[in-house]
PDB file of all heavy atoms in Angstrom:
ATOM      1  N   LEU T1387     -21.831  -9.912 -50.824  1.00  0.00           N
ATOM      2  CA  LEU T1387     -22.437 -10.092 -52.144  1.00  0.00           C
ATOM      3  C   LEU T1387     -23.300 -11.354 -52.156  1.00  0.00           C
ATOM      4  O   LEU T1387     -24.429 -11.345 -52.669  1.00  0.00           O
ATOM      5  CB  LEU T1387     -21.351 -10.188 -53.212  1.00  0.00           C
ATOM      6  CG  LEU T1387     -21.816 -10.630 -54.605  1.00  0.00           C
ATOM      7  CD1 LEU T1387     -22.703  -9.565 -55.241  1.00  0.00           C
ATOM      8  CD2 LEU T1387     -20.614 -10.937 -55.502  1.00  0.00           C
ATOM      9  N   ALA T1388     -22.773 -12.436 -51.597  1.00  0.00           N
ATOM     10  CA  ALA T1388     -23.509 -13.702 -51.590  1.00  0.00           C
ATOM     11  C   ALA T1388     -24.816 -13.582 -50.814  1.00  0.00           C
ATOM     12  O   ALA T1388     -25.863 -14.084 -51.252  1.00  0.00           O
ATOM     13  CB  ALA T1388     -22.632 -14.809 -50.994  1.00  0.00           C
ATOM     14  N   ILE T1389     -24.776 -12.919 -49.674  1.00  0.00           N
ATOM     15  CA  ILE T1389     -25.997 -12.740 -48.880  1.00  0.00           C
ATOM     16  C   ILE T1389     -27.002 -11.902 -49.654  1.00  0.00           C
ATOM     17  O   ILE T1389     -28.184 -12.242 -49.751  1.00  0.00           O
ATOM     18  CB  ILE T1389     -25.668 -12.077 -47.531  1.00  0.00           C
ATOM     19  CG1 ILE T1389     -24.771 -12.985 -46.687  1.00  0.00           C
ATOM     20  CG2 ILE T1389     -26.960 -11.761 -46.761  1.00  0.00           C
ATOM     21  CD1 ILE T1389     -24.157 -12.293 -45.484  1.00  0.00           C
ATOM     22  N   ALA T1390     -26.540 -10.791 -50.218  1.00  0.00           N
ATOM     23  CA  ALA T1390     -27.432  -9.907 -50.964  1.00  0.00           C
ATOM     24  C   ALA T1390     -28.043 -10.630 -52.156  1.00  0.00           C
ATOM     25  O   ALA T1390     -29.250 -10.482 -52.439  1.00  0.00           O
ATOM     26  CB  ALA T1390     -26.679  -8.669 -51.427  1.00  0.00           C
ATOM     27  N   TYR T1391     -27.252 -11.422 -52.849  1.00  0.00           N
ATOM     28  CA  TYR T1391     -27.767 -12.129 -54.027  1.00  0.00           C
ATOM     29  C   TYR T1391     -28.764 -13.213 -53.615  1.00  0.00           C
ATOM     30  O   TYR T1391     -29.836 -13.339 -54.218  1.00  0.00           O
ATOM     31  CB  TYR T1391     -26.609 -12.746 -54.808  1.00  0.00           C
ATOM     32  CG  TYR T1391     -27.055 -13.299 -56.145  1.00  0.00           C
ATOM     33  CD1 TYR T1391     -27.276 -12.460 -57.232  1.00  0.00           C
ATOM     34  CD2 TYR T1391     -27.268 -14.673 -56.320  1.00  0.00           C
ATOM     35  CE1 TYR T1391     -27.693 -12.951 -58.454  1.00  0.00           C
ATOM     36  CE2 TYR T1391     -27.693 -15.181 -57.541  1.00  0.00           C
ATOM     37  CZ  TYR T1391     -27.911 -14.315 -58.595  1.00  0.00           C
ATOM     38  OH  TYR T1391     -28.346 -14.802 -59.796  1.00  0.00           O
ATOM     39  N   ASP T1392     -28.418 -13.978 -52.605  1.00  0.00           N
ATOM     40  CA  ASP T1392     -29.317 -15.045 -52.143  1.00  0.00           C
ATOM     41  C   ASP T1392     -30.646 -14.494 -51.634  1.00  0.00           C
ATOM     42  O   ASP T1392     -31.675 -15.161 -51.729  1.00  0.00           O
ATOM     43  CB  ASP T1392     -28.646 -15.864 -51.039  1.00  0.00           C
ATOM     44  CG  ASP T1392     -27.895 -17.067 -51.583  1.00  0.00           C
ATOM     45  OD1 ASP T1392     -27.969 -17.314 -52.807  1.00  0.00           O
ATOM     46  OD2 ASP T1392     -27.238 -17.766 -50.794  1.00  0.00           O
ATOM     47  N   GLU T1393     -30.613 -13.276 -51.104  1.00  0.00           N
ATOM     48  CA  GLU T1393     -31.831 -12.712 -50.514  1.00  0.00           C
ATOM     49  C   GLU T1393     -32.592 -11.809 -51.485  1.00  0.00           C
ATOM     50  O   GLU T1393     -33.529 -11.124 -51.089  1.00  0.00           O
ATOM     51  CB  GLU T1393     -31.485 -11.990 -49.217  1.00  0.00           C
ATOM     52  CG  GLU T1393     -30.911 -12.957 -48.197  1.00  0.00           C
ATOM     53  CD  GLU T1393     -30.873 -12.414 -46.784  1.00  0.00           C
ATOM     54  OE1 GLU T1393     -31.146 -11.214 -46.586  1.00  0.00           O
ATOM     55  OE2 GLU T1393     -30.558 -13.207 -45.862  1.00  0.00           O
ATOM     56  N   GLY T1394     -32.200 -11.822 -52.748  1.00  0.00           N
ATOM     57  CA  GLY T1394     -32.985 -11.148 -53.771  1.00  0.00           C
ATOM     58  C   GLY T1394     -32.883  -9.639 -53.782  1.00  0.00           C
ATOM     59  O   GLY T1394     -33.804  -8.952 -54.225  1.00  0.00           O
ATOM     60  N   LYS T1395     -31.771  -9.118 -53.357  1.00  0.00           N
ATOM     61  CA  LYS T1395     -31.607  -7.667 -53.305  1.00  0.00           C
ATOM     62  C   LYS T1395     -31.300  -7.080 -54.690  1.00  0.00           C
ATOM     63  O   LYS T1395     -30.858  -7.774 -55.603  1.00  0.00           O
ATOM     64  CB  LYS T1395     -30.457  -7.306 -52.355  1.00  0.00           C
ATOM     65  CG  LYS T1395     -30.718  -7.612 -50.887  1.00  0.00           C
ATOM     66  CD  LYS T1395     -31.683  -6.611 -50.282  1.00  0.00           C
ATOM     67  CE  LYS T1395     -31.816  -6.810 -48.784  1.00  0.00           C
ATOM     68  NZ  LYS T1395     -32.685  -5.794 -48.166  1.00  0.00           N
ATOM     69  N   LEU T1396     -31.521  -5.785 -54.801  1.00  0.00           N
ATOM     70  CA  LEU T1396     -31.035  -5.026 -55.949  1.00  0.00           C
ATOM     71  C   LEU T1396     -29.592  -4.656 -55.649  1.00  0.00           C
ATOM     72  O   LEU T1396     -29.302  -4.020 -54.627  1.00  0.00           O
ATOM     73  CB  LEU T1396     -31.885  -3.778 -56.163  1.00  0.00           C
ATOM     74  CG  LEU T1396     -31.443  -2.828 -57.278  1.00  0.00           C
ATOM     75  CD1 LEU T1396     -31.404  -3.537 -58.629  1.00  0.00           C
ATOM     76  CD2 LEU T1396     -32.365  -1.614 -57.331  1.00  0.00           C
ATOM     77  N   ILE T1397     -28.680  -5.053 -56.539  1.00  0.00           N
ATOM     78  CA  ILE T1397     -27.243  -4.921 -56.281  1.00  0.00           C
ATOM     79  C   ILE T1397     -26.589  -4.100 -57.390  1.00  0.00           C
ATOM     80  O   ILE T1397     -26.843  -4.321 -58.574  1.00  0.00           O
ATOM     81  CB  ILE T1397     -26.568  -6.307 -56.218  1.00  0.00           C
ATOM     82  CG1 ILE T1397     -27.230  -7.177 -55.148  1.00  0.00           C
ATOM     83  CG2 ILE T1397     -25.071  -6.176 -55.976  1.00  0.00           C
ATOM     84  CD1 ILE T1397     -26.841  -8.642 -55.225  1.00  0.00           C
ATOM     85  N   GLY T1398     -25.745  -3.174 -57.000  1.00  0.00           N
ATOM     86  CA  GLY T1398     -24.919  -2.439 -57.942  1.00  0.00           C
ATOM     87  C   GLY T1398     -23.465  -2.818 -57.754  1.00  0.00           C
ATOM     88  O   GLY T1398     -23.022  -3.024 -56.614  1.00  0.00           O
ATOM     89  N   VAL T1399     -22.737  -2.944 -58.825  1.00  0.00           N
ATOM     90  CA  VAL T1399     -21.294  -3.222 -58.758  1.00  0.00           C
ATOM     91  C   VAL T1399     -20.573  -2.054 -59.406  1.00  0.00           C
ATOM     92  O   VAL T1399     -20.730  -1.811 -60.612  1.00  0.00           O
ATOM     93  CB  VAL T1399     -20.938  -4.541 -59.471  1.00  0.00           C
ATOM     94  CG1 VAL T1399     -19.428  -4.787 -59.397  1.00  0.00           C
ATOM     95  CG2 VAL T1399     -21.707  -5.712 -58.859  1.00  0.00           C
ATOM     96  N   LEU T1400     -19.810  -1.314 -58.603  1.00  0.00           N
ATOM     97  CA  LEU T1400     -19.026  -0.193 -59.127  1.00  0.00           C
ATOM     98  C   LEU T1400     -17.731  -0.765 -59.675  1.00  0.00           C
ATOM     99  O   LEU T1400     -16.800  -1.087 -58.921  1.00  0.00           O
ATOM    100  CB  LEU T1400     -18.758   0.843 -58.039  1.00  0.00           C
ATOM    101  CG  LEU T1400     -18.079   2.130 -58.511  1.00  0.00           C
ATOM    102  CD1 LEU T1400     -18.932   2.858 -59.548  1.00  0.00           C
ATOM    103  CD2 LEU T1400     -17.799   3.060 -57.325  1.00  0.00           C
ATOM    104  N   THR T1401     -17.685  -0.928 -60.969  1.00  0.00           N
ATOM    105  CA  THR T1401     -16.547  -1.580 -61.610  1.00  0.00           C
ATOM    106  C   THR T1401     -15.334  -0.642 -61.670  1.00  0.00           C
ATOM    107  O   THR T1401     -15.432   0.538 -61.364  1.00  0.00           O
ATOM    108  CB  THR T1401     -16.929  -2.041 -63.032  1.00  0.00           C
ATOM    109  OG1 THR T1401     -17.380  -0.902 -63.789  1.00  0.00           O
ATOM    110  CG2 THR T1401     -18.046  -3.060 -62.987  1.00  0.00           C
ATOM    111  N   GLU T1402     -14.202  -1.230 -62.046  1.00  0.00           N
ATOM    112  CA  GLU T1402     -12.928  -0.511 -62.116  1.00  0.00           C
ATOM    113  C   GLU T1402     -12.525   0.060 -60.758  1.00  0.00           C
ATOM    114  O   GLU T1402     -11.980   1.148 -60.647  1.00  0.00           O
ATOM    115  CB  GLU T1402     -12.985   0.603 -63.174  1.00  0.00           C
ATOM    116  CG  GLU T1402     -13.281   0.088 -64.577  1.00  0.00           C
ATOM    117  CD  GLU T1402     -13.383   1.192 -65.614  1.00  0.00           C
ATOM    118  OE1 GLU T1402     -12.970   2.339 -65.314  1.00  0.00           O
ATOM    119  OE2 GLU T1402     -13.874   0.927 -66.723  1.00  0.00           O
ATOM    120  N   THR T1403     -12.842  -0.729 -59.707  1.00  0.00           N
ATOM    121  CA  THR T1403     -12.435  -0.346 -58.352  1.00  0.00           C
ATOM    122  C   THR T1403     -11.644  -1.472 -57.690  1.00  0.00           C
ATOM    123  O   THR T1403     -11.502  -1.509 -56.468  1.00  0.00           O
ATOM    124  CB  THR T1403     -13.657   0.006 -57.483  1.00  0.00           C
ATOM    125  OG1 THR T1403     -14.582  -1.087 -57.488  1.00  0.00           O
ATOM    126  CG2 THR T1403     -14.347   1.254 -57.986  1.00  0.00           C
ATOM    127  N   GLY T1404     -11.125  -2.393 -58.497  1.00  0.00           N
ATOM    128  CA  GLY T1404     -10.275  -3.444 -57.978  1.00  0.00           C
ATOM    129  C   GLY T1404     -11.033  -4.533 -57.244  1.00  0.00           C
ATOM    130  O   GLY T1404     -12.264  -4.640 -57.323  1.00  0.00           O
ATOM    131  N   GLY T1405     -10.278  -5.352 -56.496  1.00  0.00           N
ATOM    132  CA  GLY T1405     -10.884  -6.405 -55.699  1.00  0.00           C
ATOM    133  C   GLY T1405     -11.691  -7.385 -56.527  1.00  0.00           C
ATOM    134  O   GLY T1405     -11.287  -7.788 -57.618  1.00  0.00           O
ATOM    135  N   ILE T1406     -12.867  -7.746 -56.023  1.00  0.00           N
ATOM    136  CA  ILE T1406     -13.691  -8.768 -56.677  1.00  0.00           C
ATOM    137  C   ILE T1406     -14.594  -8.210 -57.777  1.00  0.00           C
ATOM    138  O   ILE T1406     -15.305  -8.966 -58.437  1.00  0.00           O
ATOM    139  CB  ILE T1406     -14.563  -9.498 -55.641  1.00  0.00           C
ATOM    140  CG1 ILE T1406     -15.600  -8.544 -55.050  1.00  0.00           C
ATOM    141  CG2 ILE T1406     -13.720 -10.154 -54.569  1.00  0.00           C
ATOM    142  CD1 ILE T1406     -16.682  -9.244 -54.236  1.00  0.00           C
ATOM    143  N   THR T1407     -14.584  -6.896 -57.974  1.00  0.00           N
ATOM    144  CA  THR T1407     -15.601  -6.310 -58.848  1.00  0.00           C
ATOM    145  C   THR T1407     -15.525  -6.825 -60.288  1.00  0.00           C
ATOM    146  O   THR T1407     -16.555  -6.931 -60.960  1.00  0.00           O
ATOM    147  CB  THR T1407     -15.522  -4.774 -58.850  1.00  0.00           C
ATOM    148  OG1 THR T1407     -14.194  -4.354 -59.202  1.00  0.00           O
ATOM    149  CG2 THR T1407     -15.879  -4.227 -57.484  1.00  0.00           C
ATOM    150  N   HIS T1408     -14.323  -7.155 -60.770  1.00  0.00           N
ATOM    151  CA  HIS T1408     -14.210  -7.655 -62.139  1.00  0.00           C
ATOM    152  C   HIS T1408     -14.557  -9.137 -62.240  1.00  0.00           C
ATOM    153  O   HIS T1408     -14.612  -9.695 -63.342  1.00  0.00           O
ATOM    154  CB  HIS T1408     -12.792  -7.416 -62.681  1.00  0.00           C
ATOM    155  CG  HIS T1408     -11.730  -8.252 -62.038  1.00  0.00           C
ATOM    156  ND1 HIS T1408     -11.332  -8.070 -60.723  1.00  0.00           N
ATOM    157  CD2 HIS T1408     -10.992  -9.292 -62.520  1.00  0.00           C
ATOM    158  CE1 HIS T1408     -10.394  -8.941 -60.420  1.00  0.00           C
ATOM    159  NE2 HIS T1408     -10.177  -9.694 -61.486  1.00  0.00           N
ATOM    160  N   LEU T1409     -14.812  -9.778 -61.100  1.00  0.00           N
ATOM    161  CA  LEU T1409     -15.136 -11.206 -61.083  1.00  0.00           C
ATOM    162  C   LEU T1409     -16.606 -11.483 -60.761  1.00  0.00           C
ATOM    163  O   LEU T1409     -17.057 -12.617 -60.888  1.00  0.00           O
ATOM    164  CB  LEU T1409     -14.280 -11.922 -60.026  1.00  0.00           C
ATOM    165  CG  LEU T1409     -12.769 -11.896 -60.229  1.00  0.00           C
ATOM    166  CD1 LEU T1409     -12.068 -12.447 -58.997  1.00  0.00           C
ATOM    167  CD2 LEU T1409     -12.391 -12.699 -61.469  1.00  0.00           C
ATOM    168  N   VAL T1410     -17.338 -10.462 -60.340  1.00  0.00           N
ATOM    169  CA  VAL T1410     -18.698 -10.687 -59.853  1.00  0.00           C
ATOM    170  C   VAL T1410     -19.575 -11.357 -60.896  1.00  0.00           C
ATOM    171  O   VAL T1410     -20.284 -12.334 -60.611  1.00  0.00           O
ATOM    172  CB  VAL T1410     -19.336  -9.357 -59.393  1.00  0.00           C
ATOM    173  CG1 VAL T1410     -20.815  -9.560 -59.105  1.00  0.00           C
ATOM    174  CG2 VAL T1410     -18.629  -8.835 -58.148  1.00  0.00           C
ATOM    175  N   LYS T1411     -19.568 -10.860 -62.111  1.00  0.00           N
ATOM    176  CA  LYS T1411     -20.439 -11.423 -63.155  1.00  0.00           C
ATOM    177  C   LYS T1411     -20.134 -12.893 -63.373  1.00  0.00           C
ATOM    178  O   LYS T1411     -21.043 -13.733 -63.473  1.00  0.00           O
ATOM    179  CB  LYS T1411     -20.275 -10.636 -64.443  1.00  0.00           C
ATOM    180  CG  LYS T1411     -21.242 -11.053 -65.548  1.00  0.00           C
ATOM    181  CD  LYS T1411     -21.113 -10.173 -66.781  1.00  0.00           C
ATOM    182  CE  LYS T1411     -21.577  -8.762 -66.497  1.00  0.00           C
ATOM    183  NZ  LYS T1411     -21.625  -7.926 -67.731  1.00  0.00           N
ATOM    184  N   GLU T1412     -18.857 -13.236 -63.434  1.00  0.00           N
ATOM    185  CA  GLU T1412     -18.452 -14.626 -63.642  1.00  0.00           C
ATOM    186  C   GLU T1412     -18.864 -15.508 -62.468  1.00  0.00           C
ATOM    187  O   GLU T1412     -19.333 -16.639 -62.653  1.00  0.00           O
ATOM    188  CB  GLU T1412     -16.935 -14.690 -63.845  1.00  0.00           C
ATOM    189  CG  GLU T1412     -16.396 -16.074 -64.147  1.00  0.00           C
ATOM    190  CD  GLU T1412     -14.893 -16.072 -64.363  1.00  0.00           C
ATOM    191  OE1 GLU T1412     -14.318 -14.977 -64.516  1.00  0.00           O
ATOM    192  OE2 GLU T1412     -14.305 -17.170 -64.376  1.00  0.00           O
ATOM    193  N   ILE T1413     -18.714 -14.989 -61.255  1.00  0.00           N
ATOM    194  CA  ILE T1413     -19.088 -15.748 -60.057  1.00  0.00           C
ATOM    195  C   ILE T1413     -20.584 -16.044 -60.048  1.00  0.00           C
ATOM    196  O   ILE T1413     -21.014 -17.179 -59.800  1.00  0.00           O
ATOM    197  CB  ILE T1413     -18.697 -14.980 -58.784  1.00  0.00           C
ATOM    198  CG1 ILE T1413     -17.177 -14.936 -58.631  1.00  0.00           C
ATOM    199  CG2 ILE T1413     -19.328 -15.613 -57.545  1.00  0.00           C
ATOM    200  CD1 ILE T1413     -16.687 -13.994 -57.554  1.00  0.00           C
ATOM    201  N   LEU T1414     -21.402 -15.034 -60.337  1.00  0.00           N
ATOM    202  CA  LEU T1414     -22.850 -15.218 -60.296  1.00  0.00           C
ATOM    203  C   LEU T1414     -23.328 -16.120 -61.432  1.00  0.00           C
ATOM    204  O   LEU T1414     -24.279 -16.896 -61.256  1.00  0.00           O
ATOM    205  CB  LEU T1414     -23.551 -13.866 -60.343  1.00  0.00           C
ATOM    206  CG  LEU T1414     -23.283 -12.951 -59.137  1.00  0.00           C
ATOM    207  CD1 LEU T1414     -24.038 -11.642 -59.285  1.00  0.00           C
ATOM    208  CD2 LEU T1414     -23.652 -13.639 -57.832  1.00  0.00           C
ATOM    209  N   GLU T1415     -22.674 -16.035 -62.580  1.00  0.00           N
ATOM    210  CA  GLU T1415     -23.016 -16.944 -63.670  1.00  0.00           C
ATOM    211  C   GLU T1415     -22.705 -18.381 -63.293  1.00  0.00           C
ATOM    212  O   GLU T1415     -23.461 -19.309 -63.609  1.00  0.00           O
ATOM    213  CB  GLU T1415     -22.266 -16.547 -64.945  1.00  0.00           C
ATOM    214  CG  GLU T1415     -22.807 -15.279 -65.604  1.00  0.00           C
ATOM    215  CD  GLU T1415     -21.971 -14.845 -66.804  1.00  0.00           C
ATOM    216  OE1 GLU T1415     -20.904 -15.466 -67.040  1.00  0.00           O
ATOM    217  OE2 GLU T1415     -22.384 -13.893 -67.501  1.00  0.00           O
ATOM    218  N   ALA T1416     -21.593 -18.594 -62.597  1.00  0.00           N
ATOM    219  CA  ALA T1416     -21.224 -19.936 -62.156  1.00  0.00           C
ATOM    220  C   ALA T1416     -22.214 -20.472 -61.115  1.00  0.00           C
ATOM    221  O   ALA T1416     -22.485 -21.677 -61.064  1.00  0.00           O
ATOM    222  CB  ALA T1416     -19.807 -19.932 -61.590  1.00  0.00           C
ATOM    223  N   CYS T1417     -22.763 -19.574 -60.313  1.00  0.00           N
ATOM    224  CA  CYS T1417     -23.738 -20.000 -59.309  1.00  0.00           C
ATOM    225  C   CYS T1417     -25.012 -20.527 -59.967  1.00  0.00           C
ATOM    226  O   CYS T1417     -25.662 -21.444 -59.448  1.00  0.00           O
ATOM    227  CB  CYS T1417     -24.090 -18.832 -58.386  1.00  0.00           C
ATOM    228  SG  CYS T1417     -22.753 -18.329 -57.290  1.00  0.00           S
ATOM    229  N   ASN T1418     -25.390 -19.942 -61.112  1.00  0.00           N
ATOM    230  CA  ASN T1418     -26.552 -20.409 -61.880  1.00  0.00           C
ATOM    231  C   ASN T1418     -27.776 -20.582 -60.979  1.00  0.00           C
ATOM    232  O   ASN T1418     -28.397 -21.643 -60.911  1.00  0.00           O
ATOM    233  CB  ASN T1418     -26.222 -21.720 -62.594  1.00  0.00           C
ATOM    234  CG  ASN T1418     -27.295 -22.111 -63.605  1.00  0.00           C
ATOM    235  OD1 ASN T1418     -27.971 -21.239 -64.158  1.00  0.00           O
ATOM    236  ND2 ASN T1418     -27.454 -23.401 -63.837  1.00  0.00           N
ATOM    237  N   LYS T1419     -28.121 -19.518 -60.281  1.00  0.00           N
ATOM    238  CA  LYS T1419     -29.193 -19.584 -59.289  1.00  0.00           C
ATOM    239  C   LYS T1419     -30.090 -18.367 -59.424  1.00  0.00           C
ATOM    240  O   LYS T1419     -29.612 -17.233 -59.408  1.00  0.00           O
ATOM    241  CB  LYS T1419     -28.578 -19.627 -57.880  1.00  0.00           C
ATOM    242  CG  LYS T1419     -29.567 -19.792 -56.745  1.00  0.00           C
ATOM    243  CD  LYS T1419     -28.819 -19.866 -55.418  1.00  0.00           C
ATOM    244  CE  LYS T1419     -29.754 -20.083 -54.239  1.00  0.00           C
ATOM    245  NZ  LYS T1419     -29.007 -20.132 -52.958  1.00  0.00           N
ATOM    246  N   GLN T1420     -31.386 -18.599 -59.559  1.00  0.00           N
ATOM    247  CA  GLN T1420     -32.349 -17.512 -59.645  1.00  0.00           C
ATOM    248  C   GLN T1420     -32.888 -17.204 -58.249  1.00  0.00           C
ATOM    249  O   GLN T1420     -33.488 -18.065 -57.618  1.00  0.00           O
ATOM    250  CB  GLN T1420     -33.488 -17.884 -60.594  1.00  0.00           C
ATOM    251  CG  GLN T1420     -33.042 -18.131 -62.027  1.00  0.00           C
ATOM    252  CD  GLN T1420     -32.375 -16.912 -62.638  1.00  0.00           C
ATOM    253  OE1 GLN T1420     -32.858 -15.783 -62.496  1.00  0.00           O
ATOM    254  NE2 GLN T1420     -31.271 -17.134 -63.334  1.00  0.00           N
ATOM    255  N   THR T1421     -32.655 -15.990 -57.792  1.00  0.00           N
ATOM    256  CA  THR T1421     -33.061 -15.628 -56.428  1.00  0.00           C
ATOM    257  C   THR T1421     -33.994 -14.426 -56.388  1.00  0.00           C
ATOM    258  O   THR T1421     -34.478 -14.066 -55.312  1.00  0.00           O
ATOM    259  CB  THR T1421     -31.824 -15.288 -55.587  1.00  0.00           C
ATOM    260  OG1 THR T1421     -31.201 -14.110 -56.138  1.00  0.00           O
ATOM    261  CG2 THR T1421     -30.827 -16.440 -55.574  1.00  0.00           C
ATOM    262  N   GLY T1422     -34.200 -13.799 -57.536  1.00  0.00           N
ATOM    263  CA  GLY T1422     -34.951 -12.553 -57.558  1.00  0.00           C
ATOM    264  C   GLY T1422     -34.056 -11.333 -57.484  1.00  0.00           C
ATOM    265  O   GLY T1422     -34.529 -10.199 -57.607  1.00  0.00           O
ATOM    266  N   ALA T1423     -32.758 -11.566 -57.249  1.00  0.00           N
ATOM    267  CA  ALA T1423     -31.810 -10.445 -57.216  1.00  0.00           C
ATOM    268  C   ALA T1423     -31.627  -9.883 -58.615  1.00  0.00           C
ATOM    269  O   ALA T1423     -31.794 -10.585 -59.617  1.00  0.00           O
ATOM    270  CB  ALA T1423     -30.468 -10.909 -56.658  1.00  0.00           C
ATOM    271  N   ARG T1424     -31.262  -8.625 -58.667  1.00  0.00           N
ATOM    272  CA  ARG T1424     -30.926  -7.992 -59.941  1.00  0.00           C
ATOM    273  C   ARG T1424     -29.607  -7.262 -59.755  1.00  0.00           C
ATOM    274  O   ARG T1424     -29.434  -6.535 -58.765  1.00  0.00           O
ATOM    275  CB  ARG T1424     -32.024  -7.032 -60.379  1.00  0.00           C
ATOM    276  CG  ARG T1424     -31.761  -6.432 -61.756  1.00  0.00           C
ATOM    277  CD  ARG T1424     -32.988  -5.780 -62.319  1.00  0.00           C
ATOM    278  NE  ARG T1424     -32.715  -5.175 -63.616  1.00  0.00           N
ATOM    279  CZ  ARG T1424     -33.622  -4.519 -64.333  1.00  0.00           C
ATOM    280  NH1 ARG T1424     -34.863  -4.399 -63.872  1.00  0.00           N
ATOM    281  NH2 ARG T1424     -33.304  -3.990 -65.484  1.00  0.00           N
ATOM    282  N   VAL T1425     -28.678  -7.440 -60.679  1.00  0.00           N
ATOM    283  CA  VAL T1425     -27.331  -6.884 -60.539  1.00  0.00           C
ATOM    284  C   VAL T1425     -27.059  -5.928 -61.690  1.00  0.00           C
ATOM    285  O   VAL T1425     -27.231  -6.278 -62.857  1.00  0.00           O
ATOM    286  CB  VAL T1425     -26.269  -7.998 -60.509  1.00  0.00           C
ATOM    287  CG1 VAL T1425     -24.893  -7.409 -60.219  1.00  0.00           C
ATOM    288  CG2 VAL T1425     -26.626  -9.057 -59.468  1.00  0.00           C
ATOM    289  N   ILE T1426     -26.648  -4.720 -61.340  1.00  0.00           N
ATOM    290  CA  ILE T1426     -26.347  -3.671 -62.313  1.00  0.00           C
ATOM    291  C   ILE T1426     -24.867  -3.317 -62.196  1.00  0.00           C
ATOM    292  O   ILE T1426     -24.351  -3.122 -61.087  1.00  0.00           O
ATOM    293  CB  ILE T1426     -27.202  -2.415 -62.054  1.00  0.00           C
ATOM    294  CG1 ILE T1426     -28.688  -2.784 -62.015  1.00  0.00           C
ATOM    295  CG2 ILE T1426     -26.926  -1.351 -63.110  1.00  0.00           C
ATOM    296  CD1 ILE T1426     -29.220  -3.375 -63.303  1.00  0.00           C
ATOM    297  N   TYR T1427     -24.197  -3.218 -63.331  1.00  0.00           N
ATOM    298  CA  TYR T1427     -22.764  -2.920 -63.360  1.00  0.00           C
ATOM    299  C   TYR T1427     -22.532  -1.539 -63.972  1.00  0.00           C
ATOM    300  O   TYR T1427     -23.218  -1.142 -64.918  1.00  0.00           O
ATOM    301  CB  TYR T1427     -22.015  -3.968 -64.186  1.00  0.00           C
ATOM    302  CG  TYR T1427     -22.186  -5.383 -63.687  1.00  0.00           C
ATOM    303  CD1 TYR T1427     -23.274  -6.157 -64.100  1.00  0.00           C
ATOM    304  CD2 TYR T1427     -21.273  -5.960 -62.816  1.00  0.00           C
ATOM    305  CE1 TYR T1427     -23.446  -7.455 -63.642  1.00  0.00           C
ATOM    306  CE2 TYR T1427     -21.429  -7.261 -62.348  1.00  0.00           C
ATOM    307  CZ  TYR T1427     -22.518  -8.008 -62.773  1.00  0.00           C
ATOM    308  OH  TYR T1427     -22.694  -9.298 -62.327  1.00  0.00           O
ATOM    309  N   GLY T1428     -21.545  -0.822 -63.441  1.00  0.00           N
ATOM    310  CA  GLY T1428     -21.209   0.473 -64.000  1.00  0.00           C
ATOM    311  C   GLY T1428     -19.958   1.027 -63.368  1.00  0.00           C
ATOM    312  O   GLY T1428     -19.675   0.777 -62.186  1.00  0.00           O
ATOM    313  N   SER T1429     -19.200   1.808 -64.136  1.00  0.00           N
ATOM    314  CA  SER T1429     -17.949   2.378 -63.634  1.00  0.00           C
ATOM    315  C   SER T1429     -18.092   3.823 -63.185  1.00  0.00           C
ATOM    316  O   SER T1429     -17.191   4.362 -62.537  1.00  0.00           O
ATOM    317  CB  SER T1429     -16.861   2.288 -64.715  1.00  0.00           C
ATOM    318  OG  SER T1429     -17.248   3.029 -65.874  1.00  0.00           O
ATOM    319  N   ASP T1430     -19.215   4.455 -63.525  1.00  0.00           N
ATOM    320  CA  ASP T1430     -19.447   5.849 -63.150  1.00  0.00           C
ATOM    321  C   ASP T1430     -20.372   5.889 -61.933  1.00  0.00           C
ATOM    322  O   ASP T1430     -21.523   5.446 -62.019  1.00  0.00           O
ATOM    323  CB  ASP T1430     -20.075   6.604 -64.311  1.00  0.00           C
ATOM    324  CG  ASP T1430     -20.270   8.075 -63.998  1.00  0.00           C
ATOM    325  OD1 ASP T1430     -21.216   8.407 -63.255  1.00  0.00           O
ATOM    326  OD2 ASP T1430     -19.480   8.897 -64.497  1.00  0.00           O
TER     327      ASP T1430
END
């Protein structure tokens, strides 16, 4: 995730699948870094 975000990728997070998925938004907000990446969240 960190590599993809730092390199400006388009990222999808399939939520409600355990692990880090429920923390991704909080982690990226804490990073407070504009990289050109775009992150989309969804459970379906």
Side-chain angles (χ1 to χ4, degrees):
L1387 169 68
I1389 296 167
Y1391 189 78
D1392 268 355
E1393 298 195 352
K1395 293 286 187 176
L1396 176 59
I1397 303 167
V1399 179
L1400 186 61
T1401 57
E1402 300 178 14
T1403 55
I1406 67 168
T1407 55
H1408 69 291
L1409 298 171
V1410 171
K1411 186 176 293 187
E1412 183 179 347
I1413 291 169
L1414 296 180
E1415 287 175 354
C1417 291
N1418 191 29
K1419 184 178 182 181
Q1420 298 300 315
T1421 65
R1424 184 165 178 181
V1425 186
I1426 306 299
Y1427 302 86
S1429 61
D1430 183 283

